[in-house]
Amino acid sequence: MTQIAVHTGELYVTDYQAQAIRRTSKFDGTMSNLIAAINHAAGSGSTYSTNTPVNPFVTAGGLTNHAFTVAAKATGISGNSIATTNQSVNLTWNGHATLTGGVNYVAAITNISNVT
């Protein structure tokens, strides 16, 4: 499993620090950096280390009310077996040892009607 560490007091993130994100002066800024690292989005080398690999298991949603959702890339309920770990007193997975709430994929249905 890919692990990401929040480095306190880092003004910049160096290449040798794989899975490291930069902590900002604001909580939401740090969470945005974490989201970028999980999604391997813009900010490589500044908001998170360039050696941070693409997370093969999850994606992170947008920041809302100081929180974000982590979604499994695996389809169906198998994503519920992805372990969560936390070594921070300031962050939580809401007491869950694995991702939770995943459901089986339901294919979209398109109804076509004839318009005359």
Side-chain angles (χ1 to χ4, degrees):
M1 170 161 283
T2 302
Q3 296 178 349
I4 298 175
V6 177
H7 287 268
T8 59
E10 293 289 336
L11 298 177
Y12 58 91
V13 179
T14 59
D15 290 342
Y16 68 87
Q17 296 172 304
Q19 291 97 351
I21 67 161
R22 193 184 80 178
R23 181 178 173 201
T24 69
S25 62
K26 302 286 185 188
F27 179 79
D28 284 355
T30 302
M31 290 297 94
S32 293
N33 292 348
L34 179 56
I35 292 167
I38 292 170
N39 293 335
H40 213 262
S44 176
S46 59
T47 60
Y48 65 93
S49 67
T50 54
N51 287 335
T52 301
V54 173
N55 190 301
F57 304 107
V58 300
T59 59
L63 189 64
T64 305
N65 296 323
H66 317 295
F68 62 94
T69 300
V70 175
K73 290 181 179 179
T75 58
I77 59 173
S78 63
N80 288 341
S81 65
I82 297 173
T84 61
T85 59
N86 185 24
Q87 297 179 357
S88 173
V89 296
N90 299 315
L91 303 173
T92 180
W93 288 98
N94 292 330
H96 300 287
T98 61
L99 293 184
T100 184
V103 296
N104 286 322
Y105 173 74
V106 177
I109 299 172
T110 303
N111 294 324
I112 300 174
S113 61
N114 291 332
V115 178
T116 57

